[in-house]
Amino acid sequence: MSDLERKLRPVCVASLSIVLLAGCAPTGYKITPGPVDQTLEESVVLDEGGIGVPKIALIDIDGILINHRKQSLFGEGENPVSLLAEKLDKAAGDRSVKARIVRINSPGGTVTASDLMHSELMHYKVRTDGERPVVAVLSDVAASGGYYVACAADAIVAHPTTITG
């Protein structure tokens, strides 16, 4: 083997490895714009009309439960624990909110984050004197910490295909 072949061999092996492993890498990134001022805004899902119509607050808990800001492609995202607390505070302050539905799609996460979210739901129930029921709706996955958070609700509803435990 010549000196040139010895020098080119690692380069060829590295190039071939990159080509073969390229199928395992993500092929693109989804970029979703979001508001810069991250204040909570109420949105109406169904309006039956009328004045002082009772509301049902809807909150989603998605992804891994952690107690710090989730990293994204363009910077830091929301802290799931803080976001849940903010949404529950807003619902507790609105007297027209008569119930809370918590949709959970999470494989779980850290023990502390799961426990903090469970505690936030329990605290919400105490603040509202138990007058406003909390219903957990389990989506695709509600395992580990996701299920533990659901246990703070007054009722749990799971889809037939939900993976939980």
Side-chain angles (χ1 to χ4, degrees), residues 96-108:
S96 61
V97 172
K98 302 300 181 193
R100 168 64 110 191
I101 295 176
V102 180
R103 292 187 298 193
I104 300 173
N105 187 19
S106 170

Side-chain angles (χ1 to χ4, degrees), residues 45-155:
V45 177
L46 176 65
D47 185 2
E48 294 181 350
I51 298 173
V53 175
K55 299 179 197 174
I56 297 175
L58 179 63
I59 181 171
D60 291 317
I61 297 176
D62 290 312
I64 296 175
L65 307 179
I66 53 175
N67 191 22
H68 60 81
R69 291 179 177 267
K70 290 183 178 180
Q71 297 296 318
S72 68
L73 185 60
F74 295 106
E76 294 182 354
E78 291 282 350
N79 178 327
V81 175
S82 298
L83 186 60
L84 176 64
E86 289 175 34
K87 289 183 177 184
L88 290 173
D89 284 343
K90 186 166 183 159
D94 187 346
R95 297 300 302 161
S96 61
V97 172
K98 302 300 181 193
R100 168 64 110 191
I101 295 176
V102 180
R103 292 187 298 193
I104 300 173
N105 187 19
S106 170
T110 67
V111 174
T112 302
S114 302
D115 187 52
L116 288 170
M117 294 175 98
H118 179 273
S119 296
E120 284 294 335
L121 277 173
M122 295 299 285
H123 183 66
Y124 169 79
K125 289 168 42 176
V126 168
R127 283 184 300 184
T128 58
D129 297 324
E131 295 174 1
R132 305 181 205 179
V134 176
V135 177
V137 177
L138 310 184
S139 189
D140 295 324
V141 176
S144 188
Y147 181 73
Y148 179 60
V149 172
C151 288
D154 297 307

Side-chain angles (χ1 to χ4, degrees), residues 7-24:
K7 289 180 182 179
L8 287 179
R9 178 173 243 177
V11 173
C12 290
V13 169
S15 299
L16 182 61
S17 299
I18 289 170
V19 169
L20 291 175
L21 293 175
C24 298

Side-chain angles (χ1 to χ4, degrees), residues 29-35 72-74:
Y29 296 96
K30 180 179 179 184
I31 300 172
T32 24
S72 68
L73 185 60
F74 295 106

